[in-house]
Amino acid sequence: MNDLLAQFFDLNQFSQAPLAGEYNNWLVALSYIVAFVASFAALTIFARALGQRNGLRRKGWQLATAFVAGIGVWSMHFIGMLAFELPVVMKHGVALTLLSILPAIAGNYAAYSLQLQIKRLAERKRLSALHEKSLIVASGSLLGAGIGLMHYIGMAAMQLPAELRYDIGWFTTSIVVAVVLGIIAMATYRNYQVPTRQGGHSNRLQLSTALIIAAAISGMHYVAMIAARFYPTSAAELITGSGHDQHQWLIYAIALSVILIALFAWLSSALDKRLQNTSRAIRQSDRKIRELAFNDSLTGLPNRRSLLEYLDSQPAQNQQGECLALFLLDIDKFKVLNNTLGPTLGDLLLQSVTHRLERIPMDVHMVARPSSNEFAAVARIPCDGNPASAQSKALELARLMQDNLQQPYSLKDYRHRCSLSMGLTLLNDSAVSAENLLVQAALALSEAKRSGLGQIQLYHREMAEAIEKRVRIEADLRYVIENNEQLELYLQPQLNAQRKVIGAEALIRWQHPDFGFISPAEFIPLAEETGLIIGLGDWINEQACQIIKQWQQLGFNHLVLSINVSAPQFQQLDFVDKLNSLIRQHDLPKGSLKLELTESVLMQNVDDVINKINELKQLGIQFALDDFGTGYSSLSYLMKLPFDVLKIDVSFVRDMFESPQKEAIVQTIVQLAHNLGLKVVAEGVETEKHFDYLSSLGCDYFQGYLFSKPVAESEFRSHSLILQ
């Protein structure tokens, strides 16, 4: 046993003194710098391994860490050996020199593998404090063992005319230094790994770890060199000067190579980190884009696209005999809140409605926000093969939902109460697409809003048919206005108290080739909604001027033609200019054209209305206030506006004998008009009793079925009344 130990340790078996060596201090410093640079680069690379989710990529960075760290240990040892100068010629065996790299790489790989294991166990919350400490000690010990084994294999590669033995005390100290500093380095690096402790000190801790690892490598090496004893053999020839002068260029080449390797590794790590961050940013952007594509940014609810996808994924009926119900809700007068109190409170209201919808204690499967102030809710309703029962249960659910949502809202310091209109539809046919289902709910909602505020409407097939007809009528109305087809002005005579025709009111009629006669009550509101009323009004004005011109040519110079003018038409900036152009074009005499305005026209800018009326009166146009008493009547209008005629609405005249109140209103209007110097026209005169009573009140003109219904202009000219 002693013989075996004597092959490695110095047991005083040599009689001569060992050779005395010297160190090149510059190379010693260089060896530590190389160890530090390599260690810091290895830690930087290992940070990439820690952040990898992909196992193959993690292994790759782990191997790169061990390789750079091992090369650093080996290079430090090699430079440190060359820094040690003995008075004999010294060489290194190639095989053992290269083989010594492997323990350094293996020791670093094992140490950093345990660090990865510590991190994974901590993330899974399966790491106790004792287990963590034992793994840190193990990783530091493996690192120190790899450094020590590398050193002593490298020392065995030395070829010189001397026997190498080690002092047992210093040998033990070198191993202890390597292991203890390795453990301290790994413990420090564990600090670096913990995010809660990391904060703004991660770079400082990484730097500290690299300094400690470099100290472990260098400390172990130079303590081991103190333990080394070189006893010259009989063949030893002492030399003067440095025995390593011929290796100076190799020393610096190795140092430069290590630094370049470390720099390359650091740049690769930094580039990978940048790519990872870019990839992460792209994924986050994709996730954000998807959220924006499928969710409403204000409320976080699914948007229209998400709602349609959800509806497409739901079966119309399930095994429990339930059918899908879609509720579409609209906040009534939401724009009023936005315009008066600002969009901030409007947004708060939308968010508050969202919170209530999501917390409604009912079987609602999904809540969405398909448009600005509309919300959708999807639920399942028991069907049991009874559509009427399913509809009743859906309406009951709608009322419960509406009652919950119409409770007052606290918007900052403002208490707001609102109503919600609702349309709903049931899906019990899988052939109906999600888009059509949403259209059905929207049609029901539109019908509910037309019925008033806070109404609930269930979809039925007639709604779709009505919409289809409405779309067709709108398109056809646009066509007939542009092409002057199918439309015609009918005339209803107006008579004085002597039953002599003094004029007529022009009423538009539309004979559709497919739908037959379409009432003005149906297409006039549609024209106003779509803006077609402007073109339609221009057509009426043109036709009216042509009729008056024909009357002049036939000698009916005393007749006055009245035409109705809508509010949008009268508000056009060029209304006066266009009418002036028509009057000049047809050379109409003054007083032959009368414009009938409703009180809706007067609700706009009164001063502008007065200016337009005065301009038109200078052209010889008369004015009548139509349907007086049915709107927002105000005596101030009659005082300010220069009307010529006041028309009593048919709703007062027709039923005035059945209602004392209406009879009193008719009497008051006639007296009021005469006191203001206005003529009075009574519409809806259908009986002789009507005529006699209105005549006794002093009514000036009469219009109604007692005399004639509206007729075509050719029939009007041949009427017996006008020929008298």
PDB file of all heavy atoms in Angstrom, residues 4 25 33 49 55 88 161 191 201 245 249 276 299 380 457 472 484 495 519 527 543 549 598 600 629 715:
ATOM      1  N   LEU A   4       2.282   1.969  -3.304  1.00  0.00           N
ATOM      2  CA  LEU A   4       1.317   2.592  -4.208  1.00  0.00           C
ATOM      3  C   LEU A   4       1.168   4.077  -3.915  1.00  0.00           C
ATOM      4  O   LEU A   4       1.145   4.914  -4.820  1.00  0.00           O
ATOM      5  CB  LEU A   4      -0.041   1.881  -4.085  1.00  0.00           C
ATOM      6  CG  LEU A   4      -1.142   2.363  -5.040  1.00  0.00           C
ATOM      7  CD1 LEU A   4      -0.704   2.137  -6.492  1.00  0.00           C
ATOM      8  CD2 LEU A   4      -2.455   1.646  -4.755  1.00  0.00           C
ATOM      9  N   ASN A  25       4.196  36.384 -13.082  1.00  0.00           N
ATOM     10  CA  ASN A  25       2.992  36.999 -12.504  1.00  0.00           C
ATOM     11  C   ASN A  25       1.975  37.456 -13.568  1.00  0.00           C
ATOM     12  O   ASN A  25       0.759  37.415 -13.347  1.00  0.00           O
ATOM     13  CB  ASN A  25       3.375  38.173 -11.606  1.00  0.00           C
ATOM     14  CG  ASN A  25       4.134  37.699 -10.370  1.00  0.00           C
ATOM     15  OD1 ASN A  25       3.912  36.586  -9.874  1.00  0.00           O
ATOM     16  ND2 ASN A  25       5.045  38.515  -9.860  1.00  0.00           N
ATOM     17  N   ILE A  33      -7.930  35.705 -15.473  1.00  0.00           N
ATOM     18  CA  ILE A  33      -8.843  36.438 -16.372  1.00  0.00           C
ATOM     19  C   ILE A  33      -9.519  35.468 -17.334  1.00  0.00           C
ATOM     20  O   ILE A  33     -10.726  35.555 -17.593  1.00  0.00           O
ATOM     21  CB  ILE A  33      -8.077  37.538 -17.126  1.00  0.00           C
ATOM     22  CG1 ILE A  33      -7.630  38.628 -16.149  1.00  0.00           C
ATOM     23  CG2 ILE A  33      -8.940  38.122 -18.243  1.00  0.00           C
ATOM     24  CD1 ILE A  33      -6.707  39.672 -16.766  1.00  0.00           C
ATOM     25  N   ALA A  49     -30.386  28.208 -21.270  1.00  0.00           N
ATOM     26  CA  ALA A  49     -30.896  26.859 -20.987  1.00  0.00           C
ATOM     27  C   ALA A  49     -32.027  26.910 -19.967  1.00  0.00           C
ATOM     28  O   ALA A  49     -33.023  26.183 -20.074  1.00  0.00           O
ATOM     29  CB  ALA A  49     -29.765  25.961 -20.489  1.00  0.00           C
ATOM     30  N   GLY A  55     -37.130  20.684 -24.726  1.00  0.00           N
ATOM     31  CA  GLY A  55     -36.089  19.866 -24.119  1.00  0.00           C
ATOM     32  C   GLY A  55     -34.826  19.778 -24.953  1.00  0.00           C
ATOM     33  O   GLY A  55     -33.706  19.827 -24.416  1.00  0.00           O
ATOM     34  N   VAL A  88      14.412  23.161 -15.827  1.00  0.00           N
ATOM     35  CA  VAL A  88      14.600  22.011 -16.707  1.00  0.00           C
ATOM     36  C   VAL A  88      13.679  22.160 -17.896  1.00  0.00           C
ATOM     37  O   VAL A  88      12.690  22.918 -17.850  1.00  0.00           O
ATOM     38  CB  VAL A  88      14.305  20.678 -15.969  1.00  0.00           C
ATOM     39  CG1 VAL A  88      15.316  20.413 -14.846  1.00  0.00           C
ATOM     40  CG2 VAL A  88      12.881  20.677 -15.417  1.00  0.00           C
ATOM     41  N   PRO A 161      12.516  15.820 -16.902  1.00  0.00           N
ATOM     42  CA  PRO A 161      13.474  14.931 -16.217  1.00  0.00           C
ATOM     43  C   PRO A 161      13.403  15.100 -14.704  1.00  0.00           C
ATOM     44  O   PRO A 161      14.352  15.557 -14.062  1.00  0.00           O
ATOM     45  CB  PRO A 161      14.811  15.376 -16.782  1.00  0.00           C
ATOM     46  CG  PRO A 161      14.616  16.816 -17.108  1.00  0.00           C
ATOM     47  CD  PRO A 161      13.210  16.947 -17.568  1.00  0.00           C
ATOM     48  N   ASN A 191     -29.184  31.698  -5.974  1.00  0.00           N
ATOM     49  CA  ASN A 191     -29.758  33.020  -5.711  1.00  0.00           C
ATOM     50  C   ASN A 191     -30.113  33.716  -7.005  1.00  0.00           C
ATOM     51  O   ASN A 191     -31.150  34.361  -7.133  1.00  0.00           O
ATOM     52  CB  ASN A 191     -28.765  33.884  -4.929  1.00  0.00           C
ATOM     53  CG  ASN A 191     -29.133  33.990  -3.466  1.00  0.00           C
ATOM     54  OD1 ASN A 191     -30.187  33.547  -3.058  1.00  0.00           O
ATOM     55  ND2 ASN A 191     -28.241  34.562  -2.689  1.00  0.00           N
ATOM     56  N   HIS A 201     -30.572  42.887  -9.258  1.00  0.00           N
ATOM     57  CA  HIS A 201     -29.214  42.468  -8.936  1.00  0.00           C
ATOM     58  C   HIS A 201     -28.768  41.245  -9.720  1.00  0.00           C
ATOM     59  O   HIS A 201     -27.778  40.615  -9.373  1.00  0.00           O
ATOM     60  CB  HIS A 201     -29.110  42.164  -7.436  1.00  0.00           C
ATOM     61  CG  HIS A 201     -29.571  43.285  -6.554  1.00  0.00           C
ATOM     62  ND1 HIS A 201     -28.852  44.453  -6.421  1.00  0.00           N
ATOM     63  CD2 HIS A 201     -30.684  43.416  -5.795  1.00  0.00           C
ATOM     64  CE1 HIS A 201     -29.504  45.264  -5.583  1.00  0.00           C
ATOM     65  NE2 HIS A 201     -30.621  44.663  -5.199  1.00  0.00           N
ATOM     66  N   ASP A 245      10.071  30.048 -22.892  1.00  0.00           N
ATOM     67  CA  ASP A 245      10.083  31.195 -23.808  1.00  0.00           C
ATOM     68  C   ASP A 245       9.515  30.827 -25.169  1.00  0.00           C
ATOM     69  O   ASP A 245       8.843  31.638 -25.825  1.00  0.00           O
ATOM     70  CB  ASP A 245      11.511  31.732 -23.959  1.00  0.00           C
ATOM     71  CG  ASP A 245      12.001  32.407 -22.682  1.00  0.00           C
ATOM     72  OD1 ASP A 245      11.102  32.780 -21.858  1.00  0.00           O
ATOM     73  OD2 ASP A 245      13.218  32.569 -22.519  1.00  0.00           O
ATOM     74  N   TRP A 249       4.124  32.549 -27.477  1.00  0.00           N
ATOM     75  CA  TRP A 249       3.092  32.822 -28.499  1.00  0.00           C
ATOM     76  C   TRP A 249       1.883  31.908 -28.322  1.00  0.00           C
ATOM     77  O   TRP A 249       0.724  32.304 -28.533  1.00  0.00           O
ATOM     78  CB  TRP A 249       3.680  32.641 -29.899  1.00  0.00           C
ATOM     79  CG  TRP A 249       4.065  31.201 -30.190  1.00  0.00           C
ATOM     80  CD1 TRP A 249       5.249  30.588 -29.934  1.00  0.00           C
ATOM     81  CD2 TRP A 249       3.196  30.210 -30.765  1.00  0.00           C
ATOM     82  NE1 TRP A 249       5.225  29.283 -30.297  1.00  0.00           N
ATOM     83  CE2 TRP A 249       3.955  29.013 -30.835  1.00  0.00           C
ATOM     84  CE3 TRP A 249       1.889  30.221 -31.233  1.00  0.00           C
ATOM     85  CZ2 TRP A 249       3.438  27.833 -31.347  1.00  0.00           C
ATOM     86  CZ3 TRP A 249       1.379  29.055 -31.748  1.00  0.00           C
ATOM     87  CH2 TRP A 249       2.133  27.859 -31.803  1.00  0.00           C
ATOM     88  N   GLN A 276     -35.554  35.040 -28.771  1.00  0.00           N
ATOM     89  CA  GLN A 276     -36.591  34.535 -27.879  1.00  0.00           C
ATOM     90  C   GLN A 276     -37.548  35.651 -27.477  1.00  0.00           C
ATOM     91  O   GLN A 276     -38.765  35.460 -27.448  1.00  0.00           O
ATOM     92  CB  GLN A 276     -35.947  33.924 -26.626  1.00  0.00           C
ATOM     93  CG  GLN A 276     -35.229  32.608 -26.863  1.00  0.00           C
ATOM     94  CD  GLN A 276     -36.197  31.476 -27.143  1.00  0.00           C
ATOM     95  OE1 GLN A 276     -37.274  31.415 -26.576  1.00  0.00           O
ATOM     96  NE2 GLN A 276     -35.810  30.586 -28.037  1.00  0.00           N
ATOM     97  N   THR A 299     -65.388  45.877 -22.903  1.00  0.00           N
ATOM     98  CA  THR A 299     -66.041  45.027 -21.904  1.00  0.00           C
ATOM     99  C   THR A 299     -65.353  43.679 -21.725  1.00  0.00           C
ATOM    100  O   THR A 299     -65.608  42.994 -20.731  1.00  0.00           O
ATOM    101  CB  THR A 299     -67.501  44.781 -22.297  1.00  0.00           C
ATOM    102  OG1 THR A 299     -67.532  44.060 -23.547  1.00  0.00           O
ATOM    103  CG2 THR A 299     -68.247  46.099 -22.460  1.00  0.00           C
ATOM    104  N   ARG A 380     -80.475  28.044 -23.205  1.00  0.00           N
ATOM    105  CA  ARG A 380     -81.220  26.884 -23.702  1.00  0.00           C
ATOM    106  C   ARG A 380     -82.559  26.822 -22.974  1.00  0.00           C
ATOM    107  O   ARG A 380     -82.624  26.942 -21.743  1.00  0.00           O
ATOM    108  CB  ARG A 380     -80.429  25.600 -23.529  1.00  0.00           C
ATOM    109  CG  ARG A 380     -79.304  25.486 -24.545  1.00  0.00           C
ATOM    110  CD  ARG A 380     -78.800  24.068 -24.719  1.00  0.00           C
ATOM    111  NE  ARG A 380     -77.891  23.987 -25.860  1.00  0.00           N
ATOM    112  CZ  ARG A 380     -78.283  23.759 -27.095  1.00  0.00           C
ATOM    113  NH1 ARG A 380     -79.569  23.597 -27.349  1.00  0.00           N
ATOM    114  NH2 ARG A 380     -77.413  23.706 -28.087  1.00  0.00           N
ATOM    115  N   GLN A 457     -89.755  41.630 -28.133  1.00  0.00           N
ATOM    116  CA  GLN A 457     -90.421  41.093 -29.313  1.00  0.00           C
ATOM    117  C   GLN A 457     -89.807  39.757 -29.684  1.00  0.00           C
ATOM    118  O   GLN A 457     -88.584  39.611 -29.746  1.00  0.00           O
ATOM    119  CB  GLN A 457     -90.299  42.067 -30.498  1.00  0.00           C
ATOM    120  CG  GLN A 457     -91.017  41.617 -31.751  1.00  0.00           C
ATOM    121  CD  GLN A 457     -92.528  41.585 -31.554  1.00  0.00           C
ATOM    122  OE1 GLN A 457     -93.118  42.565 -31.093  1.00  0.00           O
ATOM    123  NE2 GLN A 457     -93.156  40.465 -31.868  1.00  0.00           N
ATOM    124  N   ARG A 472     -87.194  45.543 -51.102  1.00  0.00           N
ATOM    125  CA  ARG A 472     -87.639  45.595 -52.497  1.00  0.00           C
ATOM    126  C   ARG A 472     -88.291  46.940 -52.803  1.00  0.00           C
ATOM    127  O   ARG A 472     -88.024  47.554 -53.852  1.00  0.00           O
ATOM    128  CB  ARG A 472     -88.634  44.455 -52.728  1.00  0.00           C
ATOM    129  CG  ARG A 472     -89.375  44.508 -54.056  1.00  0.00           C
ATOM    130  CD  ARG A 472     -88.550  44.085 -55.238  1.00  0.00           C
ATOM    131  NE  ARG A 472     -89.270  44.234 -56.483  1.00  0.00           N
ATOM    132  CZ  ARG A 472     -90.178  43.368 -56.943  1.00  0.00           C
ATOM    133  NH1 ARG A 472     -90.441  42.267 -56.247  1.00  0.00           N
ATOM    134  NH2 ARG A 472     -90.794  43.587 -58.089  1.00  0.00           N
ATOM    135  N   ASN A 484     -88.976  58.228 -63.549  1.00  0.00           N
ATOM    136  CA  ASN A 484     -90.274  58.872 -63.723  1.00  0.00           C
ATOM    137  C   ASN A 484     -91.336  57.863 -64.175  1.00  0.00           C
ATOM    138  O   ASN A 484     -92.046  58.066 -65.165  1.00  0.00           O
ATOM    139  CB  ASN A 484     -90.168  60.026 -64.737  1.00  0.00           C
ATOM    140  CG  ASN A 484     -91.403  60.912 -64.717  1.00  0.00           C
ATOM    141  OD1 ASN A 484     -92.177  60.901 -63.753  1.00  0.00           O
ATOM    142  ND2 ASN A 484     -91.614  61.659 -65.793  1.00  0.00           N
ATOM    143  N   LEU A 495    -112.952  73.231 -51.734  1.00  0.00           N
ATOM    144  CA  LEU A 495    -114.087  74.086 -52.114  1.00  0.00           C
ATOM    145  C   LEU A 495    -114.302  75.174 -51.077  1.00  0.00           C
ATOM    146  O   LEU A 495    -113.913  75.026 -49.914  1.00  0.00           O
ATOM    147  CB  LEU A 495    -115.370  73.249 -52.240  1.00  0.00           C
ATOM    148  CG  LEU A 495    -115.388  72.156 -53.322  1.00  0.00           C
ATOM    149  CD1 LEU A 495    -114.761  70.876 -52.832  1.00  0.00           C
ATOM    150  CD2 LEU A 495    -116.828  71.900 -53.788  1.00  0.00           C
ATOM    151  N   SER A 519     -99.577  52.301 -50.268  1.00  0.00           N
ATOM    152  CA  SER A 519    -100.040  53.492 -49.565  1.00  0.00           C
ATOM    153  C   SER A 519     -98.881  54.449 -49.293  1.00  0.00           C
ATOM    154  O   SER A 519     -97.773  54.011 -48.964  1.00  0.00           O
ATOM    155  CB  SER A 519    -100.687  53.085 -48.248  1.00  0.00           C
ATOM    156  OG  SER A 519    -100.927  54.211 -47.442  1.00  0.00           O
ATOM    157  N   ALA A 527     -89.037  56.617 -47.492  1.00  0.00           N
ATOM    158  CA  ALA A 527     -88.277  57.609 -48.258  1.00  0.00           C
ATOM    159  C   ALA A 527     -87.567  58.586 -47.337  1.00  0.00           C
ATOM    160  O   ALA A 527     -86.428  59.008 -47.613  1.00  0.00           O
ATOM    161  CB  ALA A 527     -89.218  58.352 -49.210  1.00  0.00           C
ATOM    162  N   GLN A 543     -93.847  67.931 -61.066  1.00  0.00           N
ATOM    163  CA  GLN A 543     -95.168  67.547 -61.567  1.00  0.00           C
ATOM    164  C   GLN A 543     -96.220  68.605 -61.233  1.00  0.00           C
ATOM    165  O   GLN A 543     -97.113  68.904 -62.056  1.00  0.00           O
ATOM    166  CB  GLN A 543     -95.575  66.197 -60.960  1.00  0.00           C
ATOM    167  CG  GLN A 543     -94.683  65.027 -61.352  1.00  0.00           C
ATOM    168  CD  GLN A 543     -94.698  64.783 -62.847  1.00  0.00           C
ATOM    169  OE1 GLN A 543     -95.761  64.716 -63.480  1.00  0.00           O
ATOM    170  NE2 GLN A 543     -93.520  64.683 -63.443  1.00  0.00           N
ATOM    171  N   LYS A 549     -99.335  74.653 -64.962  1.00  0.00           N
ATOM    172  CA  LYS A 549     -99.160  75.197 -66.303  1.00  0.00           C
ATOM    173  C   LYS A 549    -100.294  74.729 -67.222  1.00  0.00           C
ATOM    174  O   LYS A 549    -100.843  75.533 -68.022  1.00  0.00           O
ATOM    175  CB  LYS A 549     -97.798  74.742 -66.855  1.00  0.00           C
ATOM    176  CG  LYS A 549     -97.448  75.387 -68.192  1.00  0.00           C
ATOM    177  CD  LYS A 549     -97.286  76.889 -68.042  1.00  0.00           C
ATOM    178  CE  LYS A 549     -96.830  77.520 -69.356  1.00  0.00           C
ATOM    179  NZ  LYS A 549     -96.730  78.996 -69.235  1.00  0.00           N
ATOM    180  N   THR A 598     -95.767  70.852 -42.210  1.00  0.00           N
ATOM    181  CA  THR A 598     -96.204  70.305 -40.922  1.00  0.00           C
ATOM    182  C   THR A 598     -95.397  70.946 -39.801  1.00  0.00           C
ATOM    183  O   THR A 598     -94.376  71.613 -40.036  1.00  0.00           O
ATOM    184  CB  THR A 598     -96.012  68.780 -40.873  1.00  0.00           C
ATOM    185  OG1 THR A 598     -94.631  68.485 -41.040  1.00  0.00           O
ATOM    186  CG2 THR A 598     -96.810  68.098 -41.977  1.00  0.00           C
ATOM    187  N   SER A 600     -93.447  69.603 -37.825  1.00  0.00           N
ATOM    188  CA  SER A 600     -92.093  69.037 -37.704  1.00  0.00           C
ATOM    189  C   SER A 600     -91.070  69.940 -38.379  1.00  0.00           C
ATOM    190  O   SER A 600     -89.911  69.996 -37.955  1.00  0.00           O
ATOM    191  CB  SER A 600     -92.036  67.638 -38.324  1.00  0.00           C
ATOM    192  OG  SER A 600     -92.367  67.685 -39.699  1.00  0.00           O
ATOM    193  N   GLY A 629    -102.526  71.120 -34.569  1.00  0.00           N
ATOM    194  CA  GLY A 629    -103.089  70.549 -33.346  1.00  0.00           C
ATOM    195  C   GLY A 629    -102.670  69.133 -33.064  1.00  0.00           C
ATOM    196  O   GLY A 629    -102.919  68.622 -31.967  1.00  0.00           O
ATOM    197  N   GLU A 715    -109.039  63.168 -64.473  1.00  0.00           N
ATOM    198  CA  GLU A 715    -110.395  63.045 -63.940  1.00  0.00           C
ATOM    199  C   GLU A 715    -110.790  64.297 -63.173  1.00  0.00           C
ATOM    200  O   GLU A 715    -111.953  64.711 -63.201  1.00  0.00           O
ATOM    201  CB  GLU A 715    -110.475  61.806 -63.038  1.00  0.00           C
ATOM    202  CG  GLU A 715    -111.884  61.516 -62.536  1.00  0.00           C
ATOM    203  CD  GLU A 715    -111.936  60.252 -61.678  1.00  0.00           C
ATOM    204  OE1 GLU A 715    -110.948  59.484 -61.682  1.00  0.00           O
ATOM    205  OE2 GLU A 715    -112.973  60.043 -61.012  1.00  0.00           O
TER     206      GLU A 715
END
